[in-house]
Amino acid sequence: MRAAPSTVSPLITVRDVHFVYPAGGGVGTPALAGLDLDIAPGECLAIIGGNGSGKSTLAKHLNALLLPTAGEVRVDGRDPEGAWLARQRVGMVFEHPDNQIVAAIVEEDVAFGCENLGLPSAEIRARVDRALRVVGLEQLRRHPPHQLSGGQKQRVAIAGVLAMRPRCLVLDEATSMLDPLGQQEVMEIAFRLCRDESLALVLITHAMEEAARADRIVVLAQGRIVLQGSPAEVFAREDELRRLRLEPPELVRLGRALARDGVAVPPGALTIDPLVEALIAGP
Amino acid sequence: MEFFRGLVLGQYVPVDSAIHRLDPRTKILATLLLLTVMFAVREFAGLAILTVLLVAVALAARIAPAYLLRGLRPLFWLLVFAVVLQVFFGEPGGHPMFRWGPVVVTRENLAQAAFYGWRLLLLVLSTTVMTLVTSPMEFTDGLERLLRPFQRVGVPAHDLAMMMTIALRFIPTLLEEAEKIMKAQMARGAEFTRGSLPTRARALTPLLVPLFVGAFRRADALAVAMEARCYRGGEHRTRMHVLRFGPQDLVAVTVVAAAAAFALIPPAAWRGH
């Protein structure tokens, strides 16, 4: 895993953003309360936090689906008040696989975003073909989406975003409704895109195993960033995480348990290999 | 989808045939023409010609007859109802064939009943064939293009097409959901298939309420997802598939128009030659 490149100018900057959901009559509770965040081109960032911590609200600010009540969000240095640019640059895949597919045929759905951008027909065709190849769904191009598995539907959604040539892909709990196999297929594609196509990846997730694979983790609580750093750094703060009703991934907890029993586990071990090596080496 | 297996109307069968490959505009216009002619036809001969045409189209499109007949099944009771009504309560007078209490069945009324029944069958058959050979997306595309000239007089062609696309996209999803809800209710003792009609209608309430709530929630999420993909209505929007009206479409339109014209010529005119 690469460290977040800090010298490059950020792709998305979030500056002191406040957001209050308009409530019927009274003043709503703030969902975001003064949030600062930079997202670098090509980095893989996980945003975690308990329910109601503002994760999804933040995600919707990244491509101007929501506009901040105060503060500003810039995509590629520009103010996304003219939202269309931001929405082309920052693609989003949502939680429910069924509620984001518009068309009754896979390839038509992948084309939807490009059609909205007003691209010429031949260009759309080429982009759709490529996007379907990248997510490995060429075979299912003419299928109706309701015959697809959850994981395949999310891959269709990713392809639809990819065809718009974004610079950042936001997965807003995109794997939470999927079975383990589906989760795996979606995450493999997302990480591959981040690695090979230098697409910035923002994972809004409850799954700590997914977050552990990111370059950087940001922990939200009550609309603020309360903790951030590399996965190893963040997961080392177990007590703080627990107070936020979060738990480090199982492997981290296992590593800690082994360390308590005297096994020489390297600090910040997030994968299975260092644990195995430590066990073989013995206490 | 056990409960809804019988539903064929609107279920496209992807087959590669000359009929399937036609421009959707051709198929829509041809169907509209045929429907109009079916209402205008006054003679059995006309219906026969239209039937031959439809059967030929179905054969050319390689639609399994069983599939087509299954599509007609929901029509059965309507057909029976229409025919019975016509036979027993048709125009008075004519040649009585048999008498049953106060009811007199005349040859004219029987012929009329057969005519109306046949026509009804053809009406449904033609739309079924059209939906079987036209993918929903193509159909919507075709409709959008056909309506585009009327946009100037306030017909929201794009919005209508988008609404239809989404409806078509979500029909299977909502059917699946309906079935899931039904099963969940049945698991808790609900009865959907027994009892009198009013009882059964009442039993549907616990199905319809969650179904509608779910549909609204979906609509909300879908709207956000569409906006996230830069959707802003029909303006500046292009399409991946550009419709092309080719020579084969010209042939198809000509054949249908010719058949329609023949169907409208009264048999008396034939005998005159």
Side-chain angles (χ1 to χ4, degrees), chain B residues 29 34 46 48 50 74 86 99 133 160 207 212 229 234 249 273:
Chain B
L29 286 177
L34 287 179
L50 295 174
Q86 191 58 43
R99 203 176 278 277
V133 299
L160 283 174
L207 167 68
F212 271 82
R229 286 209 268 163
D249 293 291
H273 283 282

Side-chain angles (χ1 to χ4, degrees), chain B residues 197-211:
Chain B
L197 206 60
T199 314
R200 270 197 264 177
R202 255 196 310 279
L204 281 181
T205 317
L207 167 68
L208 291 178
V209 171
L211 193 62

Side-chain angles (χ1 to χ4, degrees), chain A residues 181-277:
Chain A
L181 213 67
Q183 290 177 0
Q184 211 182 330
E185 41 190 76
V186 169
M187 289 323 296
E188 288 322 312
I189 286 170
F191 284 120
R192 198 180 70 219
L193 288 172
C194 180
R195 196 179 57 229
D196 298 348
E197 320 226 342
S198 59
L199 191 66
L201 184 62
V202 177
L203 304 172
I204 314 283
T205 186
H206 278 293
M208 296 302 142
E209 281 72 20
E210 285 173 12
R213 296 178 61 183
D215 300 326
R216 182 158 71 105
I217 297 181
V218 163
V219 186
L220 292 194
Q222 277 138 23
R224 285 193 189 84
I225 295 177
V226 289
L227 203 59
Q228 62 178 316
S230 72
E233 287 162 10
V234 169
F235 290 135
R237 317 275 282 268
E238 203 172 341
D239 295 337
E240 276 165 80
L241 288 176
R242 265 190 223 291
R243 265 203 303 282
L244 300 166
R245 308 185 60 77
L246 298 169
E247 207 165 47
E250 212 159 340
L251 276 173
V252 173
R253 282 180 283 147
L254 176 65
R256 204 152 299 147
L258 286 173
R260 268 199 299 276
D261 287 351
V263 180
V265 177
L270 295 168
T271 52
I272 203 149
D273 292 340
L275 295 187
V276 172
E277 275 162 32

Side-chain angles (χ1 to χ4, degrees), chain A residues 12 61-62 71 98 117 119 143 167 172 181 203 222 253 267:
Chain A
I12 304 175
H61 276 79
L62 300 180
D98 261 321
L117 294 178
L119 299 170
H143 275 243
R167 301 202 52 204
D172 186 0
L181 213 67
L203 304 172
Q222 277 138 23
R253 282 180 283 147

Side-chain angles (χ1 to χ4, degrees), chain A residues 65 84 87 94 98-103 107-109 112-113 115-116 118-119 121 124-125 146 164, chain B residues 137 162 169-170 172 176 218 221-222 224-232 236-242:
Chain A
L65 284 176
W84 309 111
R87 291 183 191 166
F94 297 90
D98 261 321
N99 298 353
Q100 52 188 320
I101 296 181
V102 185
E107 66 173 6
E108 296 278 354
D109 188 76
F112 179 77
E115 293 178 337
N116 291 335
L119 299 170
S121 162
I124 300 179
R125 181 81 258 173
H146 69 96
M164 295 172 77
Chain B
M137 289 302 284
M162 186 50 73
R169 150 76 185 88
F170 278 94
E176 269 167 39
R218 277 180 202 284
L222 187 70
V224 173
M226 284 169 73
E227 268 192 41
R229 286 209 268 163
C230 293
Y231 181 69
R232 53 189 140 164
H236 312 296
R237 199 171 134 78
T238 51
R239 299 309 308 270
M240 177 166 71
H241 287 299
V242 181

Side-chain angles (χ1 to χ4, degrees), chain B residues 42 50 95 100 117 128 132 139 146 198 233 260 263:
Chain B
R42 290 275 163 266
L50 295 174
H95 302 78
W100 186 39
T128 308
L132 283 172
F139 178 80
L146 285 174

Side-chain angles (χ1 to χ4, degrees), chain A residues 94-97 154 171-179 182-183 186-187 204-207 210:
Chain A
F94 297 90
E95 177 179 6
H96 202 301
Q154 292 301 59
L171 301 186
D172 186 0
E173 296 186 38
T175 60
S176 65
M177 314 253 317
L178 306 181
D179 56 24
Q183 290 177 0
V186 169
M187 289 323 296
I204 314 283
T205 186
H206 278 293
E210 285 173 12

Side-chain angles (χ1 to χ4, degrees), chain A residues 104-105 143-147, chain B residues 1-15 20 61-64 67-68 70-72 74 124-139 167-176 179:
Chain A
I105 289 177
H143 275 243
H146 69 96
Q147 289 179 357
Chain B
M1 292 215 281
E2 289 164 42
F3 290 110
F4 305 101
R5 209 179 280 152
L7 201 86
V8 173
L9 196 84
Q11 288 287 29
Y12 168 62
V13 183
V15 178
H20 284 77
R62 290 188 283 148
I63 300 172
Y67 213 80
L68 214 52
R70 207 153 21 128
L72 293 177
V124 175
L125 203 65
S126 56
T127 43
T128 308
V129 168
M130 209 252 323
T131 50
L132 283 172
V133 299
T134 316
S135 84
M137 289 302 284
E138 282 175 339
F139 178 80
L168 289 164
R169 150 76 185 88
F170 278 94
I171 285 169
T173 309
L174 290 177
L175 286 180
E176 269 167 39
E179 186 168 337

